[in-house]
Amino acid sequence: MNLKKNLCKFRTELLISLFYLLIHIPKLVNLPVFADEAIYIRWSQLIIDDPKQYLFFALNDGKTPLFIWLLTPLQFIFSDQLFAGRFLSVLVGLVQIWVLKVLVKTYGGKKPAQYFAMAAGSLLPFWYFHQRMALMDGLLALLLSLSLLFTTKNVVYGKRKGTKNNFILNISMAGLFAGLALLVKLPAILFLPALFTPLILTFKHEKQTHLLKNILSISCSVLVSLLIFACLKLHPAFGQLFNRGGDFLFTIREFLFEKQWQHSLQQLPTYGTFFLRYLTVPVVFLSFLGLFSKKRLEVISLHFNWLLFSLPIILLGKVVYPRYFMPIAIGVTVAASLSVEQFINKNSLGRIITTILLLLSLGCSSKFIYHQLTNVESTPFVNIDKTQYLTSWSAGYGIKESVAIINQLSKNKKTLVLTEGYFGSLPDGLLMYYHRRPVDNIYITGIGQPIHQIPQNIIDSNQSHDQVLLIVNSNRLKMDLKESPLIFAACRPDNSPCHQIWDITSLFHN
C-alpha cells in the first residue's frame, strides 16, 4: 500500500524518467565510436584480463580511474561493447535528472521548477549528448551536482525553521561526492572553489556565527574530497596524472608574460557559442532573467558557481572542447528552472514570455535529438565538435564494418591487421570488439602515423601470416599502394578523410 502511495506521489517524475529512457536508448550507437570512448572501453577490458596490472592503468595517461572501473562490469552484460559503454552514461543521466530535481527543491523551487529541471536535464543538447556517450563528463557532472546539493543543504536548511539538517552527514556526503568526482576526472578540482558559492544565500539576515559555521563546513567537505583523491598517491603511477597538463593548459607564466592571454580573449566568442548552442539561447536567457526575480540570491549563487568553475578553463585553456564545460550545465539549468517558476506565476505577460522562450528551447532541443536519432551526420554540432565526432581521425567511421570484414577474411587465413596510430579509434576501436572472443587467426597492432612505409621489423617478424591488412585514414597514408588492392573505404561527411582497408599481403611475400 505504501509503495502504491509513493508511486502515485512521484507519478510525474516517473513519467519524465520513462520519457528520458524512450529518447535516450534508441539508436544509441548511431554515432560511430569516438576515439576517447574506444580508449576507455579498451582500458576496462584490460582490467578484466589482468586487474592487478591494469586497475590503475588510466593514471599513466593522466586520467583518474573511477569511470573506467564502472565501465568494466557492463562489458559482461552486453554483447556490443560500445552500447555497454554508452548505456552506463544513460543510467548516469537518469540519476542526474532526479538530482537536478532535488537541487531545485533545495534552492526553494516548487514542483513546476523541479519538473522543468528534470525535463531540461533530459532534453537540452548539452545534457542529452553526453548522456549517450561513453565519456567521463556525464558522471563528472552528476557527482559534482551531488556535492553541490549536500553543500547547499547545510547552508539552506541550517537557517530554515522547521527543517531537519544532519550537519555532519551533509559535510561527509559533499566531500565524498567531490572526492569521487576527482577520481572520475582531474578538472573536478576546479569545482572545489565553486562549492563555496551557496554562501551567497547567507547574505540576507545571516548571523556572523552561522556564516563562519558554513565556511567551516564547506572547508571540511573540500578537505574530505582532497583526502579521498590523495589515496591515489599510494599507487606508483600517481605522478603521471600531472604530466599531460601542458597539453591542454597554458602555464601562468605563458599566460601573463608570453601574451597567451590574447589567445584566451580571442576564444571568448567561441566559448559563448558552446553555451548558447548546447544549452539553447532561451534557457540561458531565462537563467539570467532570474536575477530580476525573488530568487535573485539563489540565481546569483548558481551563476557564480559555473563561472568559478569555468574561468580557469577560459583563461588558461590551450585546447578546449565543449565537453570540458559540462559542469556549467548544472548551475544554468537550476537557475533557469527557478526563473521559469517565478515568471510563470508573476502575471500574464510573464507567462506569455516564458512560454514562448520554453517553446523556442524545446524546438532547438528537439531538432538536435531528431538528428541524433535519425541522421547523426546532420546533428547541429558546433564546429569543433563536428570535427572530432564526424570528420577527423577521432570519428570511428568504418570501425564496425572493418571488424566484420576481418572476421570474414580470417575464417581460413591467418591474418595480420596493421593500423595507423597506437591508441584511439585505431587500433583500440577494433580491439574492443574482439575482447573475450576467439581470435586465433587474427593479430592486430598499431604502427604509428603518418604511414610512410611498413617498418622492416614488422615485415621480417610476420612472414607466417597468410594475409596482411592495413587500416588507415586516407590523409595519413603517405606511401604508394598502387600495387595493393583497396578492399573497403568508409568516407566521413563533407569530403573528409576516408577510413580504408588495404590488402598489403604482397609487401610481405615478395
Side-chain angles (χ1 to χ4, degrees), residues 235-279:
H235 194 276
F238 178 79
Q240 300 293 325
L241 271 176
F242 309 98
N243 286 349
R244 295 195 61 197
D247 295 346
F248 304 101
L249 296 173
F250 295 117
T251 63
I252 299 295
R253 184 178 181 281
E254 288 174 326
F255 180 76
L256 293 177
F257 303 112
E258 297 180 16
K259 296 186 178 181
Q260 295 299 346
W261 57 268
Q262 295 177 348
H263 169 86
S264 301
L265 286 178
Q266 290 168 359
Q267 293 303 308
L268 284 176
T270 302
Y271 299 153
T273 303
F274 296 168
F275 308 152
L276 296 175
R277 180 77 65 85
Y278 289 149
L279 289 169

Side-chain angles (χ1 to χ4, degrees), residues 139-283:
L139 181 60
L140 175 66
L142 172 61
L143 294 171
L144 293 178
S145 299
L146 286 164
S147 183
L148 178 63
L149 170 63
F150 285 101
T151 300
T152 308
K153 275 188 173 185
N154 266 346
V155 175
V156 175
Y157 289 176
K159 68 173 187 171
R160 281 184 190 166
K161 292 182 179 180
T163 57
K164 293 181 180 179
N165 185 43
N166 193 326
F167 190 72
I168 302 300
L169 178 64
N170 289 337
I171 290 175
S172 303
M173 296 303 287
L176 171 65
F177 287 118
L180 291 176
L182 284 167
L183 296 186
V184 170
K185 203 170 184 180
L186 206 53
I189 200 166
L190 301 178
F191 200 85
L192 297 184
L195 289 178
F196 288 87
T197 55
L199 292 173
I200 293 173
L201 303 178
T202 67
F203 287 176
K204 215 174 194 178
H205 311 303
E206 185 67 69
K207 295 179 181 178
Q208 187 177 8
T209 54
H210 290 169
L211 178 60
L212 292 174
K213 181 182 177 182
N214 285 321
I215 292 174
L216 180 62
S217 71
I218 298 172
S219 299
C220 288
S221 295
V222 170
L223 180 60
V224 169
S225 71
L226 293 175
L227 288 173
I228 292 172
F229 175 68
C231 292
L232 289 176
K233 199 168 184 179
L234 297 172
H235 194 276
F238 178 79
Q240 300 293 325
L241 271 176
F242 309 98
N243 286 349
R244 295 195 61 197
D247 295 346
F248 304 101
L249 296 173
F250 295 117
T251 63
I252 299 295
R253 184 178 181 281
E254 288 174 326
F255 180 76
L256 293 177
F257 303 112
E258 297 180 16
K259 296 186 178 181
Q260 295 299 346
W261 57 268
Q262 295 177 348
H263 169 86
S264 301
L265 286 178
Q266 290 168 359
Q267 293 303 308
L268 284 176
T270 302
Y271 299 153
T273 303
F274 296 168
F275 308 152
L276 296 175
R277 180 77 65 85
Y278 289 149
L279 289 169
T280 73
V281 174
V283 165

